[in-house]
C-alpha cells in the first residue's frame, strides 16, 4: 500500500531547512482550512441557503453572488488567523483588507479570487478558489501599491477546485502537487504528485461565443484547429469550456491543451483588455502552468513578467501545453 501523505506531511518535507518553513506551512494550512469550509458550503448548495445573487456588484461592476461574499469572509477569517499575513486583496473588495489591530501580522501578502466561476454555483457546476502569496518585508502595514508585484515574485500559488472531488493544487516553485480532500478525515491527501502538462495536446478551451470579435492571431489558431484533419494542422481537435477557470485549468494540468481568454475588439471598445484578473487569476495559474512544464502568455509578454499597475487589472490569457502556446506566440508576433 502506498504511504498516505497528508498536506501537513508534504509541507514538512517541502519547506525543510527553509528559514520561513514554519510561517509558510502555517499560512498554507490556513488556506487549506478556508478551502475546506468553502467546499462544505458549496457542497450543501441550496440546503445551506447560500445560492443566488447578493443584490450588489463588486468593484468591476460584476454581480456578486451570496457565496462570493461568504467565501471572501471565510477566506479572510481563516488566513488572517494564521498570523502570517500583512494584508489580503480580493476580487470581492475594492481595496486590500488590512490585518486588524490585535491580530498578529506576518511577512506575506495574499491575493485571492475566493469563488472563481461563481456563475456556475446556481447550476451546480465546478467552481474554485485561486490564491497567490507574495513577500512583504516592511514593518509598517502595507498599502495597495505594495501588492503590485509581478507573478515571478510569488512564493506560493494555487487553487482549490470544488467539483466531484475537492482538490487543492499548489506550487512553491518546485513543481506542482495536487491533494484530494478526504471527507472522512477532513484533511487533504497527496493524490497527484509532480503534475506535468503534456507538451502536446489536441484540445482547446475558449468561449467561442465571442468569435466575431477576436483578433487575427486567435482567429487563425482556432480556425486551424476547427478545420481538423482537412486543415493545416492535419489533426482533429476537441473543445471544452467549463465557464470556470479553475475547472478548465485543472483539466489542462491533467491532460494537456490550451486555455484562452483573449482580449477582443468588443472588450477593448469598452476599455477592457481581457476579462481575467492578473493578480488573482492569471499570475497564480500562470505560475502553476510553468511549474508543470507548460507556458503562460498574454500574447505580448510572459504573464509572470507583467508588472501590475492596479489590484484588479485585467490581462489577456493564453496558457497550457508548451508547444501550443509557442505556436500562439508565433501567430501573435507575425
Ligand atoms: P469570475 O471570477 O467573476 O467568476 O470570472 C472569471 C470566470 C472564469 O472562471 C471563467 O474562465 C470565465 O470567467 C468565464 O467567462 P465567460 O462567462 O465570459 O465565458
Ligand atoms: Mg470570482
Amino acid at each position: 500500500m502506498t504511504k498516505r501523505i497528508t498536506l501537513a506531511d508534504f509541507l514538512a518535507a517541502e519547506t525543510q531547512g527553509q528559514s520561513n518553513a514554519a510561517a509558510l506551512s502555517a499560512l498554507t494550512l490556513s488556506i487549506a482550512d478556508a478551502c475546506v469550509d468553502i467546499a462544505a458550503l458549496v457542497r450543501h448548495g441550496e440546503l445551506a441557503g447560500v445560492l443566488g445573487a447578493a443584490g450588489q456588484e463588486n468593484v468591476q461592476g460584476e454581480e456578486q453572488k451570496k457565496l462570493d461574499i461568504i467565501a471572501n469572509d471565510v477566506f479572510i477569517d481563516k488566513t488572517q488567523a494564521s498570523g502570517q499575513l500583512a494584508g489580503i486583496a480580493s476580487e470581492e473588495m475594492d481595496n486590500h483588507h488590512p490585518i486588524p489591530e490585535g491580530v498578529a501580522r506576518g511577512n506575506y501578502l495574499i491575493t485571492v479570487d475566493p469563488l472563481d466561476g461563481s456563475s456556475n454555483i446556481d447550476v451546480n457546476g465546478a467552481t474554485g478558489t485561486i490564491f497567490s502569496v507574495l513577500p512583504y518585508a516592511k514593518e509598517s502595514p502595507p498599502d495597495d501599491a505594495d501588492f503590485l508585484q509581478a507573478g515571478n515574485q510569488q512564493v506560493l500559488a494555487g487553487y482549490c477546485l470544488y467539483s466531484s472531488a475537492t482538490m487543492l493544487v499548489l506550487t512553491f516553485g518546485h513543481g506542482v502537487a495536487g491533494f484530494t480532500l478526504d471527507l472522512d478525515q477532513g484533511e487533504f491527501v497527496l493524490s497527484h504528485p509532480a503534475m506535468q502538462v503534456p507538451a502536446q495536446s489536441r484540445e482547446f478551451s475558449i468561449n467561442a461565443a465571442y468569435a466575431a470579435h477576436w483578433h487575427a492571431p486567435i482567429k487563425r489558431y482556432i480556425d486551424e484547429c476547427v478545420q481538423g484533419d482537412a486543415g493545416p494542422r492535419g489533426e482533429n481537435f476537441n473543445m471544452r469550456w467549463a465557464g470556470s477557470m479553475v475547472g478548465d485549468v485543472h483539466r489542462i494540468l491533467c491532460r494537456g491543451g490550451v486555455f484562452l481568454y483573449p482580449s477582443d475588439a468588443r472588450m477593448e471598445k469598452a476599455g477592457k483588455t481581457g476579462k481575467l484578473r492578473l493578480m488573482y487569476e492569471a499570475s497564480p495559474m500562470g505560475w502553476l502552468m510553468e511549474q508543470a512544464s507548460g507556458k503562460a502568455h498574454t500574447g505580448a509578454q510572459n504573464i509572470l513578467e507583467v508588472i501590475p499597475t492596479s489590484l484588479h487589472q485585467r490581462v489577456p490569457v493564453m496558457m497550457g501545453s508548451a508547444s501550443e502556446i509557442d505556436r500562439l506566440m508565433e501567430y501573435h508576433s507575425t
Side-chain angles (χ1 to χ4, degrees), residues 58 62 68 91-92 113-118 128 277 280-281:
N58 65 15
E62 295 160 346
D68 278 324
E91 176 177 336
E92 305 307 335
D113 181 353
L115 199 65
D116 183 68
S118 56
R277 278 56 50 111
Y280 40 81
E281 290 174 327

Side-chain angles (χ1 to χ4, degrees), residues 62 91 113 115-118 207 210 241 243-245 259 261 275-277 281:
E62 295 160 346
E91 176 177 336
D113 181 353
L115 199 65
D116 183 68
S118 56
N207 188 336
Y210 312 138
W241 185 250
S244 153
M245 185 188 199
F259 172 84
Y261 208 121
K275 175 181 183 187
L276 299 176
R277 278 56 50 111
E281 290 174 327

Side-chain angles (χ1 to χ4, degrees), residues 22-89:
L24 216 43
S25 296
L27 178 56
T28 309
L29 289 170
S30 75
I31 293 169
D33 234 24
C35 293
V36 169
D37 284 6
I38 297 168
L41 290 164
V42 170
R43 210 166 47 245
H44 286 91
E46 189 65 31
L47 301 180
V50 294
L51 302 191
Q56 62 188 64
E57 290 183 346
N58 65 15
V59 63
Q60 297 148 85
E62 295 160 346
E63 180 198 67
Q64 286 177 307
K65 301 281 185 185
K66 282 186 205 159
L67 206 45
D68 278 324
I69 295 172
I70 297 168
N72 190 54
D73 292 346
V74 168
F75 196 87
I76 289 174
D77 285 353
K78 290 282 182 182
T79 56
Q80 76 181 6
S82 71
Q84 305 304 330
L85 289 177
I88 305 170

